[in-house]
Amino acid sequence: KLFLDSLRKALAGQGGSKQLTESAAIACVKLCKASTYINWEDHSTIFLLVQSIVIDLKALLFNPAKPFWRGMGSQNADVELMMDCFVSCFRISPHNNQHFKVCLAASSPSTFHFVLVNSLHRIITNSHLDWWPKIDAVYCYSGELRLMFSDTLNRVIQGVGTHAPLRMTPSLTFKGKMTTSLKFKEKTTDLDTRSYKCLLLALVKLIHADPKLMLHNPVKQAPEMQSSTAELITGLVQLVPLTNTTQLSQEAMEALLVLHQPETIELWNPDSPIETFWDISSQVLFLICRKLIGQQMVNGTEVLKWLREILICRNKFLLKNKDVKPTSRAAVWVRQPLTS
């Protein structure tokens, strides 16, 4: 009891020593992590202990005004500690989302964004115990994650500067404007290009791990859903030709392939799946083929093999929906040559 009391005091900054507070944080994160491997129905005493420390623990580790830092050389260990805490807190109480909002905020340190994205990836990909909550508990944050992806992509593209951005042509079935919020664009000195690439790579891996997380649009109208999907997919297409970021290019192709699975295509815009399919996927082919024909891809052979898989997925979707006829405007994409 004395030990646990001293942990609580040190965590709240009452231990009189920075080193003691840091050690208490490590011990408390391990306690929270251990508790997630015990079923809550067992009514273990450990849950009472966790509930008594978790608020102070999150206040210490996820305070944007005073980021947790143990000194030079500890950054990787600090990030890992924050990720363990983030994942454990989600498994303990998935709807207690204050730390989600802190990590999503544009004003928060870039490390918080990195911790958020990698923690979500860990939640998705780790083997699940029966009582662990599923990732769909945080689908409500899809819009903010898409915004983070779009703005991080813009920073990386500007930093790489080797290819002009690929842009969608105006949609044949959707006349609305595709816009990108500027919320994240005020911070220009937080990360160097390499750090932005790391965050972008983590975001692309997140799309690959669970495309539904980025596609979710619970209250949007059909045009807005189509617009957000088009922006997401076009962003990934921009990464395919990048030759000096091989891993990003490869992960982007994997994410696009997952997004082109027939069951996922139906989520692009559930209110109008066929028209959205023709608008977006046909333009993806056009943009990639234009680069290939112009010999602007060093990894052209790999892209061709990948493109074949994309076409196979498209054909599966069309076969599944062979009795659904697109509108006359959407059908223009079928007849329109790629060079037009």
Side-chain angles (χ1 to χ4, degrees), residues 8 45 138 303:
R8 294 190 192 95
T45 307
V138 297
V303 173

Side-chain angles (χ1 to χ4, degrees), residues 185-204:
K185 293 185 178 178
E186 297 301 322
K187 280 188 347 180
T188 57
T189 60
D190 234 7
L191 288 169
D192 57 17
T193 302
R194 182 178 177 183
S195 297
Y196 280 120
K197 286 181 181 178
C198 290
L199 178 58
L200 182 59
L201 180 61
L203 284 160
V204 174

